[in-house]
Amino acid sequence: MNKPSQRVKDILAKMSLEEKAIQLSCIMPSMALNRGVFSKEKAEESMPQGVGRMTQFATGFVGGAKQAAQGYNEIQKYVIEKTGLPCIIQNESSSGLVAADATIFPVPIALAGTFEPELSYKMGKVLSDEGKAIGAHFMMSPVADISRDSRWGRVDETFGEDPLVAARFTSEEVHGIQGDDFTKRCGALAKHWVGYGASEGGVNCATINIGEKDLFEVYATPFAAAIKEHDMQSIMVTYSDIDGLPMSVNPKWTQDVLRDKLGFNGIAVCDGHSIPRVIQTQGMYEDRAELAGAALKAGIDSDTMTTTVYNHIVEGVKKGVVDVKDLDACVLRTLQMREEMGLLDDPYIDSEKAQAVFDDPNADALSEEIATKSVTLLKNNGVLPLDKNVKKVAVVGPFATRLSCLFGGYAYPAMMGSFLQMVVDPEVATKMEGFAEFAKQMFDIDAMKAKMFKDPSLSFDENFDNYLRETLHVTSLSEAIQNELNDVEVVSYGKSMNTDDWQQRIDEALKVCEEADVVILGVGEVTGQGKDATSGEGINHPDLTLPFHQEELVKAVSSLGKKTIMVLFNGRALALGDVEPCVDAIVEGWYPGPAGARPVARVLSGDVNPGGRLPITFPKISAQCPIYYGTKTGSGYLSFTKGMPQKEASVMQPLYPFGYGLSYSSFSISNLTHDVSVKTGDSFKVSVDVENTGAVYGEETVQVYFHSLQPTINRPVMELRGFKKVALEPGQKKTLEFTFDTRQFGYYNAHNEFVIEPRPQAIFVGHNASQISEYGRIEFTGEVKENLHDRVFDFKVEEK
C-alpha cells in the first residue's frame, strides 16, 4: 500500500470523531439480512450509522454466488448512503472461499504435504477470483503460523513446522490472491501475527513463551517473506500475549517489528473479538475506552467480528485515554486501502457474472490434484499396492463410510454444519455453550436446514452426509475403494466408536472382517465444533492417540491375522506408537475435501504412486510434544557430533520425521558437489543426483539442510534451505542444481544484530530430516554482514 494520497487526507480532515470510529467498526452480514436478502430494517438496527468492515461475508448467503453478489451491492448502497464511503469486505478462505458453491480445497497442512508451492499460487488465484466475484476485498488466508506442537487444535490450517516450507507456501498463496497488482484483485489477510501456533501446551489462545530471536527468525518468517516478495496487504493479529502483552495491544510487535523492521504497510485487524478478550479474559485495563486507546496505539485498524470496543473511541477521546493521532493513523490506512482497490470510484460488482466464476471445472480439478499429491504413505510391509488377486475387502472404522470427516474445520460445509449442529443437537449445544444462540443470530438457519438437515427422522450426521453426497458428490472411503476396485467385493462397517456400546460395535466390525482378504481401517479425528471433534479452533485436546476407542478397534482387527491397512483422515500429527505395529500399512489422507477418499483409493490400488511428504513431525506418544526437527543444538531428538546430525536416545525419536514419506518405487541421492567457499552477501551452488532405482514411475522430494558451524550463538541442528520434488521414470537420473543466497542464512547474534556470519556451514542432502545421504561443508568468508532489511526467503533450483 502506498502512502496516503491527498484525496484520502482530505476525506479524513472532514470526518468527525464518530465518523472515524465507524470506519474501524465491523459486523457480520447476517445482522443486516433476512433469510439471505438485505433488510433495511435490520440494517438500521445493527448499523444505523453505517459500518467500516464486514467479516465472514458469504456465510450470510446460503443461496450461492449470485445471491451473495446481489447482497453485496445492496449492503454497499446502504453503507455509502450512511457514511459516504464503501465498507471493506473480508471472508474466510484457508480451505477455499467459505461460501455456498465455492471451490473447496484440502486443508493447508495437506497442501504443504505436496511440497509443491506452485499449487499454493494456483489455489490462491482461485480464492481471489471467486472472492472478487461476490464482492469480497480480502481473503482471510493464508494461515502463516508455524506449528511445532500438534496438541494445538488448529494445525490443519497451517503449513506445518518448517519456516522455509511455510514461507514458500504462504508467499505463493499471497501472490495467487493478490496477483502482480493487488489493486485489481483481492488482498491477502494472513493469520495470525505472531506465534499463535506456539501457544503454551498447545492450548488455544494461551500465552506464548518463545524468545524474541525464535519469534522473529522462525514464527515471523512466513509473514516476512510474503511482505517482502509480494507486498502482502493485511494481517490478523493473534489473541495470545507475548511477555504479558496480548498482540492486540502490543505496539512492539505490531508496530516496531511488523511495520518498522519488516516493512509492512497494510491493514492490521484483530482476530475475532481478540480486543475485547483483553479485558474479558485476560483481565487488563479499567474499561473498554482505555482498551480502545491501547489497541489503536498498537495500530489495529479494525475491531472484528462485531465491534464491542471501538464503539468506545469517542468516550476514550473525551476521557483522555485515546490519542486522536493513533485514531487518525488507523483510519487513514483504511481510506488509502479503499482508494487503491478502486472502491472510492466504483464500489459495485456485476452480480450476473458471479455464478460462472464459481462454476469453473478447472478449480475442482485443482482441488483433487492437491488432494492426490498430498497422500502420504507412512508404512508399507508389502501389502500395497493391493494385490490384483484380492477378492474381498472389508472397510471398517468410524471413517469407513462417513463423509463429513473429509473436511477441515474452515471448509464451507464443515463450518456451516458445525453451527447448524449446535442448533439442532442439544448435546452439541451444551458442549459449545452460547454458540447455538450465536448461530441463530448470525445465520439463516431455516435455509441451512433446508439444505443440510432435510429429514428430522435421521441423525444430524446422516442428514449432513446426504447433503455432501447430493451437492458435492463426495465419496466415502468404502465407496471410493469399491469404485476403484471394480471386481472386488467390498463390505463395510462405519459406525462411530464415540458411544457407550463401543465394544459391541467393535465386535460387529470384526464380523464384517471375517471372510475378507484385506481389512482397511478408516480412522482419524474430526475437526470443527461437533460432538466428535477432538481438534479445531478452540478445541483443546492434548491426547494425540486415536480418539474414542479407535485404538481398541485397530488392535482387535489386528488379532484376526489378516493383512491390515490403516487410512488416516486428520489434520495434525497423531501419536500412533501403540497401533503402528498392529498394521501392515499406513496411508495419510489428511482432510482431502470434496475429492473425498478417491485419491486414497487410487493410491491403495496402485493407480497413483504416493508422493506426499510430511510437513510436520509425528510423535510416538503425545508426551513427546512439542517435537520438531529444527531444535537448537543440544536439544531435541537430534544432536550434531562428528560433523553430522546424530540420533539421540530411542525414547526421544519420533515415529515419522519431518519430510518423511514412502513410495512404491525407491530412490538414491548421490554425487553431492558444491562451491567450497562464498563471501557473505554472495550466492553459491549445490548440486546432487537423484535416481529412481525402482521398477515404477515415482516422485521424490530432495531436501537440502544446513547447519551453522562454529557460530557465536547456538543454532538449530538442521535448517531446511531448499527442496525439490522430482518426477522420475524407472532407472532415470536427474541432476538438481540449487542456488542459495547467503542472505538466506542470517540470524540474530548474541548482540541482537541480524547478521550473516563468516563461519562454515555443513550441508546435508537427503530424503527427510532423519535420512541423510550426502554430506558437505562450505566456508562463508568475508565480513560479518548486517542483513535485517536484506533477507532472502527463497532459493533457485534447476533440473538437468
Side-chain angles (χ1 to χ4, degrees):
M1 190 167 68
N2 299 318
K3 292 182 179 180
S5 69
Q6 190 59 48
R7 179 186 188 183
V8 301
K9 289 179 181 178
D10 290 343
I11 293 173
L12 178 68
K14 296 176 183 178
M15 297 173 73
S16 66
L17 283 176
E18 290 81 3
E19 289 171 331
K20 293 175 184 178
I22 287 295
Q23 290 308 310
L24 306 186
S25 67
C26 182
I27 68 169
M28 295 181 70
S30 295
M31 298 169 70
L33 302 175
N34 183 14
R35 302 201 66 175
V37 177
F38 176 72
S39 166
K40 188 171 183 179
E41 180 180 358
K42 289 188 68 175
E44 289 287 356
E45 293 176 0
S46 62
M47 49 175 176
Q49 296 175 294
V51 74
R53 183 176 292 256
M54 279 195 176
T55 191
Q56 315 290 17
F57 176 72
T59 57
F61 304 96
V62 181
K66 184 176 181 179
Q67 185 191 53
Q70 289 173 336
Y72 166 84
N73 285 334
E74 291 168 339
I75 288 170
Q76 284 291 37
K77 182 176 183 295
Y78 172 85
V79 171
I80 292 170
E81 287 174 352
K82 290 290 184 179
T83 68
L85 296 166
C87 67
I88 294 175
I89 304 295
Q90 63 187 40
N91 208 93
E92 295 288 358
S93 56
S94 65
S95 290
L97 183 73
V98 179
D101 301 334
T103 306
I104 301 168
F105 288 94
V107 288
I109 197 73
L111 175 59
T114 69
F115 275 77
E116 295 184 43
E118 57 269 27
L119 294 175
S120 194
Y121 168 81
K122 293 178 181 179
M123 184 186 79
K125 190 173 185 306
V126 173
L127 303 181
S128 189
D129 289 344
E130 295 183 351
K132 201 162 186 67
I134 62 169
H137 308 127
F138 282 96
M139 296 293 95
M140 297 167 70
S141 64
V143 175
D145 294 298
I146 299 293
S147 177
R148 292 179 160 183
D149 188 339
S150 282
R151 293 174 297 177
W152 187 47
R154 301 187 70 175
V155 173
D156 66 298
E157 300 173 48
T158 77
F159 297 125
E161 73 180 53
D162 181 75
L164 176 66
V165 171
R168 297 312 334 134
F169 279 87
T170 293
S171 188
E172 288 300 316
E173 184 175 335
V174 169
H175 189 198
I177 291 170
Q178 297 187 168
D180 296 320
D181 180 1
F182 90 92
T183 62
K184 297 178 181 178
R185 298 182 58 74
C186 290
L189 197 170
K191 304 187 291 187
H192 307 79
W193 178 260
V194 61
Y196 183 35
S199 59
E200 189 175 54
V203 176
N204 195 51
C205 304
T207 191
I208 298 166
N209 286 322
I210 301 291
E212 288 188 17
K213 291 181 174 63
D214 276 350
L215 274 170
F216 190 91
E217 294 175 17
V218 175
Y219 295 90
T221 290
F223 297 91
I227 290 167
K228 180 174 182 179
E229 295 174 354
H230 299 298
D231 193 21
M232 183 168 63
Q233 289 299 295
S234 192
I235 276 177
M236 177 182 288
V237 301
T238 177
Y239 302 91
S240 308
D241 73 86
I242 297 174
D243 288 336
L245 273 184
M247 198 57 61
S248 295
V249 292
N250 195 324
K252 176 176 180 177
W253 283 93
T254 56
Q255 299 278 40
D256 298 349
V257 175
L258 180 60
R259 296 190 185 278
D260 296 343
K261 286 186 170 64
L262 297 186
F264 176 70
N265 58 17
I267 301 293
V269 305
C270 75
D271 204 341
H273 294 151
S274 70
I275 297 179
R277 189 177 189 274
V278 172
I279 195 168
Q280 291 173 335
T281 303
Q282 291 157 319
M284 297 171 59
Y285 298 106
E286 179 183 0
D287 55 25
R288 292 180 184 238
E290 185 184 19
L291 174 56
L296 290 170
K297 191 167 292 296
I300 309 303
D301 300 311
S302 187
D303 179 9
T304 68
M305 296 183 294
T306 53
T307 295
T308 64
V309 174
Y310 278 5
N311 54 339
H312 293 268
I313 285 175
V314 176
E315 173 192 346
V317 172
K318 293 177 180 178
K319 292 175 62 175
V321 294
V322 168
D323 189 329
V324 174
K325 289 182 180 178
D326 297 331
L327 172 63
D328 286 352
C330 291
V331 175
L332 203 56
R333 282 192 289 267
T334 68
L335 294 176
Q336 181 65 21
M337 186 65 72
R338 288 175 174 86
E339 181 180 63
E340 294 190 17
M341 286 188 158
L343 296 178
L344 298 184
D345 299 310
D346 183 14
Y348 300 107
I349 60 174
D350 186 345
S351 61
E352 297 299 323
K353 295 181 178 179
Q355 191 61 49
V357 177
F358 276 42
D359 290 340
D360 183 1
N362 293 319
D364 293 327
L366 175 63
S367 177
E368 183 156 355
E369 179 186 1
I370 293 170
T372 301
K373 289 185 173 181
S374 72
V375 177
T376 307
L377 183 60
L378 300 180
K379 179 179 181 177
N380 187 18
N381 287 344
V383 68
L384 292 178
L386 289 170
D387 193 296
K388 302 301 181 184
N389 296 320
V390 168
K391 300 298 182 183
K392 188 173 184 177
V393 173
V395 186
V396 301
F399 296 169
T401 58
R402 187 173 179 178
L403 302 182
S404 58
C405 66
L406 306 174
F407 293 83
Y410 267 79
Y412 175 79
M415 176 179 284
M416 301 303 286
S418 290
F419 281 111
L420 179 59
Q421 189 176 14
M422 294 174 197
V423 176
V424 302
D425 189 332
E427 182 179 346
V428 175
T430 300
K431 178 182 177 183
M432 302 302 296
E433 185 175 354
F435 272 76
E437 291 305 313
F438 173 80
K440 291 176 184 177
Q441 295 174 12
M442 294 296 105
F443 305 112
D444 185 352
I445 296 297
D446 289 336
M448 290 165 63
K449 283 183 178 180
K451 279 192 169 185
M452 303 175 180
F453 195 72
K454 291 182 177 181
D455 187 349
S457 68
L458 300 177
S459 69
F460 177 83
D461 289 339
E462 290 170 323
N463 271 291
F464 197 70
D465 274 8
N466 288 337
Y467 155 73
L468 294 172
R469 187 173 285 105
E470 293 169 4
T471 60
L472 299 177
H473 312 294
V474 184
T475 53
S476 69
L477 180 60
S478 177
E479 292 166 334
I481 291 171
Q482 183 65 83
N483 293 339
E484 185 70 18
L485 307 175
N486 293 318
D487 299 328
V488 175
E489 181 184 357
V490 176
V491 293
S492 62
Y493 183 89
K495 290 187 179 181
S496 170
M497 295 292 128
N498 185 13
T499 177
D500 290 339
D501 62 348
W502 58 271
Q503 185 61 61
Q504 178 183 334
R505 293 190 174 186
I506 288 178
D507 294 340
E508 292 170 352
L510 294 179
K511 290 180 181 178
V512 173
C513 300
E514 284 178 353
E515 298 180 1
D517 302 310
V518 176
V519 178
I520 298 174
L521 287 154
V523 296
E525 67 173 355
V526 173
T527 186
Q529 304 294 334
K531 64 182 179 181
D532 290 339
T534 52
S535 69
E537 183 170 3
I539 304 298
N540 299 318
H541 192 78
D543 185 355
L544 298 179
T545 59
L546 291 171
F548 304 129
H549 309 290
Q550 292 181 71
E551 284 204 347
E552 289 93 329
L553 172 66
V554 174
K555 293 173 182 178
V557 169
S558 175
S559 69
L560 298 177
K562 298 178 181 292
K563 294 180 179 179
T564 304
I565 301 159
M566 184 162 66
V567 173
L568 299 170
F569 294 112
N570 53 295
R572 57 180 180 169
L574 297 177
L576 305 173
D578 284 346
V579 294
E580 183 273 341
C582 300
V583 297
D584 298 289
I586 302 175
V587 178
E588 175 60 81
W590 303 114
Y591 296 129
R598 188 162 53 243
V600 169
R602 294 181 66 197
V603 166
L604 297 177
S605 72
D607 182 52
V608 168
N609 190 352
R613 299 294 183 264
L614 292 181
I616 193 165
T617 303
F618 272 49
K620 291 179 181 176
I621 59 175
S622 302
Q624 287 178 301
C625 290
I627 186 169
Y628 52 97
Y629 84 89
T631 57
K632 291 295 196 320
T633 305
S635 303
Y637 67 87
L638 293 172
S639 64
F640 188 85
T641 55
K642 300 180 181 179
M644 62 187 67
Q646 305 283 346
K647 293 182 179 181
E648 288 293 327
S650 60
V651 71
M652 298 175 65
Q653 292 302 309
L655 185 61
Y656 302 117
F658 171 86
Y660 178 85
L662 301 177
S663 170
Y664 295 149
S665 193
S666 56
F667 305 92
S668 68
I669 296 173
S670 62
N671 194 29
L672 172 66
T673 61
H674 54 85
D675 294 338
V676 295
S677 68
V678 61
K679 287 185 177 180
T680 55
D682 292 345
S683 298
F684 64 97
K685 295 184 183 299
V686 172
S687 67
V688 69
D689 292 340
V690 55
E691 182 179 4
N692 184 341
T693 56
V696 296
Y697 164 89
E699 297 175 335
E700 173 65 306
T701 298
V702 176
Q703 299 161 44
V704 184
Y705 299 86
F706 285 79
H707 171 74
S708 299
L709 295 167
Q710 306 162 16
T712 60
I713 197 166
N714 194 7
R715 299 296 302 155
V717 176
M718 298 168 64
E719 296 178 271
L720 185 69
R721 299 296 190 184
F723 57 89
K724 177 64 177 178
K725 179 178 280 189
V726 189
L728 295 164
E729 297 293 341
Q732 185 179 12
K733 178 189 292 186
K734 290 182 180 180
T735 298
L736 298 180
E737 183 178 84
F738 291 86
T739 301
F740 297 102
D741 192 315
T742 53
R743 292 175 298 169
Q744 189 184 348
F745 291 73
Y747 49 79
Y748 275 111
N749 63 17
H751 305 291
N752 286 329
E753 301 163 332
F754 198 87
V755 299
I756 313 166
E757 291 192 317
R759 304 277 175 154
Q761 290 276 343
I763 307 170
F764 316 116
V765 186
H767 306 275
N768 57 67
S770 293
Q771 189 180 359
I772 303 300
S773 299
E774 294 286 295
Y775 304 85
R777 174 179 168 132
I778 182 170
E779 300 289 335
F780 280 20
T781 64
E783 299 178 351
V784 173
K785 192 172 183 65
E786 194 280 330
N787 193 42
L788 179 62
H789 299 290
D790 196 29
R791 295 174 73 188
V792 170
F793 302 93
D794 201 2
F795 56 92
K796 296 179 182 178
V797 58
E798 294 183 65
E799 290 187 14
K800 295 184 176 181

